[in-house]
Amino acid sequence: MSLSLIPIIGLEVHFELKTATKMFCRCSADHFHRSPNTQLCPVCLGLPGALPMPNQRAIEMTILTAMAFGARLNKHFIFERKNYFYPDLPKGYQISQHQLPIGRGGAVRILFDGQFKDIPLHDIHLEEDTAKLEHHAASAWIDFNRSGVPLVEIVSQPVIRSPSEAKAYVKRIHQVVRWLGISDGDMEKGSMRLEANISLAPQLRNGQEPKLPDYRVEVKNLNSFRFVEKALNYEIHRQTEILQKGRQPKQETRGFDVKKGITFLQRSKEVAKDYRYFPDPDIPPFDLQDKDLGRLRRQLPVLPWQEEEEYLKNYHLKWQMVKTLVENEKARHFWHEILSKGKLPKSSLPKIANIIINKPDQWQGMTPLMFLRGLERQREGRIETGELDKIIGQVVDKEKKAVDDYRRGKTNALGYLMGQIMRLTKGRADAQETQKRLKSWLGGNDD
Ligand SMILES: [Zn+2]
């Protein structure tokens, strides 16, 4: 008998903030491609007695993130110690947030399958990154340059229902942090990292939300949008097979093998972790002021789903088109420039959007005005070759000096002649075609 199963997916997304200095000290936070262990001090090394000094800008960036996703702000928030032992954390605890994080709740709004869907969040909190471990054959090296870099974690509710939805969710967070200018969100470099929790539950008939299963599998090392989707698809396949044999998948942590496209066991018998969180006695609680929150709220840019809504509603573009246009930074920038030139008939916008998305060779390297003129020319219809030749003939007859100059090797005379021809054709001729014809008309210069 085959069961009808539904995936229960939750994601934890981490991203490093683009601050100048680390979270609790003044060491540089820019740690990529730096010589190992060159950006350190007693605070980020976790030496006894070193006192943390919170980074104001990192707190503001986290507040902006919480505002963008509509989370409830805890005006009174604290930092806590999350206790665990691992070599990347020499002081034995990570400074993080637990009881009173900066943001609680909120949602990530994705445009998925033609409609907007809100993925509710558990919380948005700020913590310090750990050192980086590099594993070698018989040893592990530790680079502390990353230790103490401000790190935001966004924790979703377990309400994501498919691997492609998970991918859309991660892409959306990536997009928002880049629009906010608070992180480069580079998954390859590791400045954005994520873990997925996935289990499968029997689908309920009356459309009710499925009950959370009493196991869950955590998948780590997912460092691209594509891998998130692949790893989750693999897990669905793997867990379905186990469940259909009447057994229950084990609660465990798995890694993702990029080459084989499969997940593999890292640690089994995961139990609820006891981190013994408690307020960090070295960091006083924070109380946010309304005037500061107002100032930050004014810094919020237009958010991706707001722009998408506008294009869907006012410009009648198809949703996939809107999604691509808003997602692709170069295309979006060019599209904005085109729109800012104004006076475009609304009916021409879907066509323009289509060219920008699907035919980049028709606009890359062009100014918006050149592009619009080109479209205009297409609308009026191209000039016939017979007429073009006639105009070229006229110009060559008339501009004897320029023709002589060109034949004596002054190549910039060609530009002048081209200009005259383009003026007479009122821009209806293709520049490349015209130049080819003009050259063959003038002849004899190439050898
Ligand atoms: Zn430091």
Side-chain angles (χ1 to χ4, degrees):
M1 189 193 78
S2 94
L3 280 166
S4 188
L5 296 165
I6 183 162
I8 311 285
I9 302 169
L11 288 169
E12 292 169 16
V13 178
H14 285 93
F15 54 90
E16 285 181 345
L17 294 175
K18 241 176 12 185
T19 48
T21 56
K22 292 186 182 179
M23 187 59 223
F24 297 108
C25 63
R26 295 293 163 84
C27 296
S28 168
D30 181 12
H31 60 92
F32 291 103
H33 309 300
R34 299 299 158 101
S35 310
N37 296 312
T38 52
Q39 303 183 159
L40 333 155
C41 73
V43 172
C44 55
L45 272 175
L47 300 185
L51 282 175
M53 284 281 289
N55 182 328
Q56 193 62 34
R57 190 58 199 141
I59 291 171
E60 291 185 353
M61 287 172 166
T62 312
I63 295 172
L64 277 173
T65 310
M67 285 175 167
F69 292 118
R72 262 186 341 274
L73 287 169
N74 278 320
K75 282 193 191 169
H76 177 81
F77 67 87
I78 56 171
F79 284 99
E80 292 185 61
R81 291 185 178 181
K82 177 182 180 180
N83 297 279
Y84 68 94
F85 172 77
Y86 204 63
D88 61 4
L89 196 69
K91 59 185 187 288
Y93 61 87
Q94 180 186 26
I95 306 178
S96 181
Q97 297 191 292
H98 183 59
Q99 270 187 52
L100 290 169
I102 289 179
R104 183 74 82 186
V108 173
R109 177 165 289 185
I110 59 173
L111 178 54
F112 184 73
D113 230 355
Q115 48 195 336
F116 287 108
K117 180 176 177 181
D118 285 335
I119 308 288
L121 299 177
H122 182 271
D123 73 83
I124 295 173
H125 64 260
L126 177 57
E127 59 192 24
E128 56 178 347
D129 208 346
T130 57
K132 199 171 171 182
L133 288 181
E134 208 181 289
H135 297 276
H136 294 267
S139 60
W141 297 355
I142 309 181
D143 176 7
F144 284 94
N145 286 351
R146 198 181 74 179
S147 173
V149 169
L151 194 67
V152 171
E153 180 172 357
I154 299 182
V155 185
S156 83
Q157 304 273 11
V159 292
I160 297 167
R161 291 289 175 261
S162 72
S164 47
E165 204 176 290
K167 182 178 162 195
Y169 169 88
V170 177
K171 276 184 131 177
R172 181 65 103 195
I173 292 180
H174 176 262
Q175 191 178 33
V176 170
V177 300
R178 289 185 61 89
W179 286 28
L180 291 174
I182 59 172
S183 174
D184 63 11
D186 192 326
M187 294 181 81
E188 250 170 65
K189 284 196 318 194
S191 53
M192 183 159 153
R193 284 165 253 157
L194 52 114
E195 290 158 28
N197 287 298
I198 174 166
S199 48
L200 302 179
Q203 181 135 38
L204 297 180
R205 248 192 238 146
N206 47 12
Q208 274 180 342
E209 275 297 288
K211 232 181 88 211
L212 289 188
D214 42 13
Y215 79 94
R216 67 176 194 188
V217 173
E218 189 178 334
V219 189
K220 289 182 178 270
N221 325 336
L222 301 171
N223 61 353
S224 87
F225 300 125
R226 215 157 40 88
F227 297 160
V228 178
E229 198 175 14
K230 271 187 145 179
L232 290 173
N233 272 322
Y234 179 80
E235 270 305 301
I236 290 173
H237 172 75
R238 190 186 70 85
Q239 293 179 23
T240 302
E241 277 194 343
I242 297 172
L243 286 160
Q244 284 185 339
K245 284 180 195 148
R247 301 206 311 263
Q248 175 163 305
K250 292 194 182 82
Q251 172 115 350
E252 60 195 18
T253 299
R254 300 178 72 87
F256 179 62
D257 185 320
V258 175
K259 281 196 192 118
K260 294 187 189 143
I262 61 170
T263 66
F264 60 90
L265 178 65
Q266 280 188 327
R267 286 197 299 271
S268 57
K269 286 190 189 166
E270 285 275 301
V271 285
K273 295 162 189 151
D274 186 359
Y275 292 121
R276 296 195 166 238
Y277 283 97
F278 66 88
D280 192 309
D282 291 335
I283 309 171
F286 284 79
D287 284 292
L288 297 174
Q289 304 301 310
D290 286 335
K291 68 169 184 357
D292 293 327
L293 293 180
R295 174 176 56 83
L296 287 171
R297 205 169 281 284
R298 285 192 293 277
Q299 285 176 21
L300 272 187
V302 173
L303 294 161
W305 49 89
Q306 295 167 338
E307 203 166 300
E308 287 165 353
E309 264 166 29
E310 189 196 331
Y311 297 164
L312 283 170
K313 216 168 82 190
N314 297 338
Y315 298 156
H316 308 290
L317 303 181
K318 292 207 176 86
W319 76 269
Q320 292 96 333
M321 209 180 242
V322 166
K323 197 163 176 277
T324 316
L325 200 56
V326 174
E327 226 166 53
N328 180 321
E329 286 176 25
K330 273 191 194 149
R332 175 171 173 260
H333 180 71
F334 194 72
W335 169 251
H336 278 193
E337 282 191 291
I338 295 286
L339 290 184
S340 72
K341 299 290 167 238
K343 291 185 291 186
L344 289 167
K346 266 191 187 171
S347 56
S348 69
L349 290 175
K351 187 186 167 194
I352 295 177
N354 185 42
I355 295 174
I356 294 180
I357 292 164
N358 296 315
K359 298 169 185 163
D361 55 307
Q362 291 191 17
W363 58 270
Q364 276 173 4
M366 279 193 198
T367 65
L369 279 178
M370 276 163 76
F371 173 78
L372 289 172
R373 231 180 273 140
L375 281 186
E376 192 72 21
R377 197 172 67 214
Q378 279 181 15
R379 251 202 302 280
E380 285 171 0
R382 291 226 172 150
I383 193 163
E384 299 280 324
T385 44
E387 196 190 342
L388 179 58
D389 281 339
K390 213 173 102 190
I391 292 175
I392 294 175
Q394 284 170 6
V395 171
V396 170
D397 277 350
K398 196 175 151 229
E399 303 289 345
K400 291 210 168 55
K401 187 175 174 301
V403 171
D404 281 349
D405 284 350
Y406 175 74
R407 287 187 173 142
R408 272 186 282 116
K410 282 194 185 172
T411 44
N412 54 1
L414 191 71
Y416 172 77
L417 292 169
M418 278 292 290
Q420 299 303 306
I421 296 163
M422 294 313 257
R423 192 173 56 81
L424 288 172
T425 58
K426 299 193 176 71
R428 281 156 61 227
D430 177 75
Q432 257 179 330
E433 176 66 20
T434 308
Q435 182 156 358
K436 208 176 86 194
R437 283 178 176 273
L438 174 61
K439 273 189 174 168
S440 81
W441 197 284
L442 295 169
N445 186 62
D446 291 337
D447 44 55

